[in-house]
Amino acid sequence: MSLDQNDIAKLARLARINIAETDTAELSQRIGDILNMVDAMQAVDTTNILPMANPHDAVQRLRADEVNETNQREHFQKIAPQTADGLYLVPQVIE
């Protein structure tokens, strides 16, 4: 796929960047090369290929989910300005 100077000017305007007219030919060639590479990648048959999260088939090591602190809700609610039924009361911000 090739882009002409009008396409480059339109892309520059949409991206809000300034491209000198002397650079449009080189930029057109470079963008065309990228688009050709994308076309080649899309042409690859991936019918029997399973999607993967990463190329190394790595798994994330997770620690055991264990409680390691005591419940201190009563202690923290004693110093709160307002509480009710174990909840913190805050001023209404949306009417």
Side-chain angles (χ1 to χ4, degrees):
M1 177 178 203
S2 63
L3 301 173
D4 61 10
Q5 288 184 350
N6 293 331
D7 294 330
I8 298 296
K10 183 177 178 181
L11 289 172
R13 184 178 51 80
L14 291 172
R16 299 187 192 282
I17 56 176
N18 185 18
I19 298 176
E21 288 188 32
T22 57
D23 296 335
T24 57
E26 178 190 355
L27 192 57
S28 176
Q29 177 63 38
R30 291 174 66 187
I31 292 175
D33 291 344
I34 292 170
L35 293 175
N36 289 334
M37 181 184 64
V38 170
D39 286 341
M41 290 172 59
Q42 288 179 340
V44 174
D45 181 22
T46 59
T47 306
N48 296 322
I49 307 297
L50 296 174
M52 57 185 170
N54 63 64
H56 303 293
D57 290 330
V59 294
Q60 186 176 11
R61 295 181 294 164
L62 301 174
R63 63 174 170 78
D65 190 12
E66 299 172 355
V67 176
N68 56 12
E69 293 185 7
T70 59
N71 183 359
Q72 298 183 27
R73 181 175 72 177
E74 296 299 325
H75 170 72
F76 292 126
Q77 288 197 342
K78 284 181 187 176
I79 59 174
Q82 288 183 308
T83 61
D85 299 325
L87 303 173
Y88 296 97
L89 301 178
V90 296
Q92 182 176 352
V93 293
I94 300 176
E95 295 185 26

